[in-house]
Amino acid sequence: MRPESRSGGVRARGLRGCLATAVVPLCLVLAAPLGAGELSPIRVGAEQPSPLRSIAPERPVQSGRTLRQEEWAALLVEALDLTRALPEGHTAEDLFSILCPDAAELRLAAGGRSVPARQPFRVAIDTPHPGAPGRPIRIDVNVPATAIYALVVEGAGRQSWYVNRQRIARLDPSPLGADAAPALLPLPRGSHQLVANLTPGARVDHVELTAHRAVCVAPADGWSADEPLTFGAKARSMVRALGLDARLPVDGEAIVIEAERYDEALGGAARTSARVEPSAPSAGEWVVAEHGETELTYRVRLDEPGVYGLLARLHGRERQLWSIDNRYRVMVRPGPEADAFAWTEVATLPLSIGEHVFRARMPRGSGIDVVRLARRRASDADYLGVLEAAGFREGPVDARVTLADAQRNLGHPTFRVLANDFLTRISGGSADDFALIEHDLGRLYTRPLSPLLPADL
């Protein structure tokens, strides 16, 4: 990615000049009312008119012209309802960083063997001052870059959290020792205030805002403002934005770990052969958090870098907090099928060659039967195949995308349904506006939960 310093770059008030002739029909499509019962993503910051939806036509729309990557990034930010998180006078770099925190994930997805030793965008506060009894905790933070952040709180007891005076979550860290906001927070670079109202006996030990790097919405080589947009680059960014990475085809045999054969355990882990009707555990055993909060560690060595799908056969409906290499953290929310054993997607993300460490923190009564790691094919053509299978009309990988092509994609029912719950879905939360199905085991070696798309009906 390269920073944009031209006066013609996209700005908070400059989107009008960049896209005035391009987006009016698109805005009408995006402004159309959504179906009853659909959820709107959390909005952080003051309410104000969207800079794209307020554009008035100044001359005829040139729907056949080729889009630049900067324009496509602006349209995605608008369609995913992230515009309010852009700072005043924002640059193209802000657009790019809110869609993908940095380029390390891109290098991994393209087959890079390692990543640079660089910490993610992160703000951490230990033992914040509790203030007077019965009064809220107030924390002033300065986030280093415009990005989508996850809020994780360690402590105990029920608590309500606010960002910039808007309530974002009711949390209870007690079962796991930590809890995460169910929706991610798009925040502009700069100062923000966190406020927590605690119930009697509740406490806050540690607060963290960390850029959500598990989702990197960008072309294979990163964003380049003036680069013409191709169907391959568009497909890669759309699949990542819609959370359809788990539909990429599996490449080779999956790595299978019997969960009771963990490398380390903290807390009350116990191996058991108990059957959970109507399912039986794989290999006759599984591991359960028998005496309280438990954290299990698994180590895997990869011979090939690439995009991998991490899935687990879980027991128990309570949330589990998973981390990968201390770089990615995901709050996993099993579905009702987990009353028995249920295959649940943890994450699909790029991993380098070498050793990787997976940690699963779960509350008492929850358990894990199997952990699977499957490499997925991840060329631009594979991403195009995912979109076409979902009912999108696409072009050749290297062909250039016109405004009309973009309008058709962003107005598609599948895009509108999945984009409507973007922040909750990519955080690991379940969306209420689409059903969940299990894929056939077949050659996938697993059955991840995945959205039922309109094209599947």
Side-chain angles (χ1 to χ4, degrees):
M1 296 186 294
R2 65 173 186 263
E4 180 62 46
S5 59
R6 300 175 293 105
S7 60
V10 178
R11 302 286 192 271
R13 296 191 179 98
L15 286 166
R16 182 188 305 268
C18 179
L19 297 174
T21 63
V23 300
V24 174
L26 172 62
C27 295
L28 294 177
V29 170
L30 294 177
L34 298 171
E38 294 181 354
L39 300 177
S40 296
I42 292 173
R43 293 180 171 86
V44 177
E47 291 292 327
Q48 56 185 343
S50 164
L52 288 182
R53 288 182 181 151
S54 63
I55 295 173
E58 297 175 1
R59 50 186 179 274
V61 174
Q62 300 170 356
S63 61
R65 71 175 181 84
T66 298
L67 285 184
R68 296 180 297 115
Q69 287 191 9
E70 180 182 358
E71 294 174 302
W72 173 240
L75 294 177
L76 275 180
V77 167
E78 165 70 10
L80 299 175
D81 201 19
L82 303 176
T83 307
R84 290 172 176 80
L86 296 174
E88 185 175 356
H90 71 269
T91 66
E93 190 67 18
D94 290 305
L95 288 171
F96 302 155
S97 67
I98 202 170
L99 292 171
C100 181
D102 69 34
E105 280 69 24
L106 299 175
R107 289 193 289 275
L108 285 176
R113 299 175 67 85
S114 63
V115 296
R118 177 179 174 184
Q119 291 296 316
F121 304 142
R122 178 174 174 268
V123 179
I125 304 98
D126 285 313
T127 57
H129 192 279
R135 299 294 298 275
I137 294 175
R138 300 182 186 275
I139 306 170
D140 293 317
V141 299
N142 190 69
V143 299
T146 301
I148 296 174
Y149 289 86
L151 172 68
V152 177
V153 176
E154 296 180 9
R158 290 175 296 173
Q159 33 198 273
S160 294
W161 281 84
Y162 298 75
V163 173
N164 302 333
R165 299 183 178 181
Q166 182 171 358
R167 188 167 69 185
I168 58 167
R170 291 176 177 171
L171 304 180
D172 185 358
S174 300
L176 289 172
D179 201 0
L184 299 170
L185 307 174
L187 296 175
R189 49 185 159 83
S191 299
H192 302 276
Q193 186 177 72
L194 305 179
V195 175
N197 289 326
L198 309 185
T199 57
R203 72 175 194 275
V204 176
D205 300 329
H206 180 81
V207 181
E208 214 172 87
L209 279 172
T210 306
H212 189 70
R213 301 177 72 155
V215 175
C216 175
V217 177
D221 297 327
W223 292 104
S224 179
D226 291 323
E227 187 76 18
L229 183 69
T230 65
F231 277 94
K234 179 180 65 62
R236 191 176 289 264
S237 60
M238 281 185 63
V239 167
R240 288 171 171 169
L242 298 180
L244 300 179
D245 303 71
R247 291 185 169 227
L248 290 167
V250 171
D251 184 12
E253 294 283 340
I255 297 171
V256 179
I257 304 169
E258 293 295 336
E260 65 274 11
R261 299 172 188 169
Y262 48 80
D263 292 291
E264 298 173 22
L266 296 175
R271 301 184 185 190
T272 178
S273 58
R275 182 183 176 94
V276 182
E277 297 296 341
S279 305
S282 171
E285 284 190 316
W286 54 292
V287 61
V288 62
E290 189 173 54
H291 304 298
E293 173 197 335
T294 299
E295 183 175 271
L296 303 175
T297 299
Y298 302 92
R299 289 183 170 84
V300 174
R301 180 165 291 278
L302 299 180
D303 296 325
E304 293 183 273
V307 174
Y308 285 82
L310 176 63
L311 300 107
R313 194 174 189 234
L314 304 180
H315 168 69
R317 292 198 198 186
E318 297 297 324
R319 293 169 295 173
Q320 300 186 12
L321 184 60
W322 285 65
S323 69
I324 300 98
D325 298 333
N326 290 322
R327 181 180 179 87
Y328 309 99
R329 184 160 46 185
V330 180
M331 186 65 79
V332 178
R333 297 170 172 85
E337 300 87 352
D339 284 339
F341 291 113
W343 283 107
T344 304
E345 180 184 353
V346 176
T348 299
L349 71 176
L351 297 175
S352 64
I353 195 170
E355 184 179 79
H356 296 274
V357 180
F358 309 138
R359 291 187 173 90
R361 189 189 297 187
M362 55 188 180
R364 181 178 181 179
S366 293
I368 311 174
D369 181 31
V370 181
V371 178
R372 293 177 183 260
L373 190 66
R375 190 171 188 268
R376 298 187 179 274
R377 298 206 313 260
S379 69
D380 281 355
D382 293 316
Y383 283 94
L384 267 176
V386 170
L387 284 188
E388 289 171 346
F392 290 90
R393 204 171 86 203
E394 298 300 313
V397 171
D398 296 325
R400 295 185 175 186
V401 176
T402 66
L403 174 61
D405 298 323
Q407 288 176 326
R408 185 167 57 246
N409 278 165
L410 299 180
H412 193 284
T414 293
F415 185 93
R416 292 175 60 193
V417 167
L418 297 183
N420 187 53
D421 202 39
F422 172 71
L423 294 174
T424 299
R425 182 169 35 78
I426 67 172
S427 71
S430 59
D432 293 334
D433 52 6
F434 55 87
L436 296 175
I437 61 171
E438 289 192 291
H439 289 302
D440 182 63
L441 273 169
R443 61 185 293 275
L444 297 179
Y445 303 102
T446 185
R447 289 175 12 215
L449 293 175
S450 178
L452 175 63
L453 306 174
D456 295 326
L457 296 175

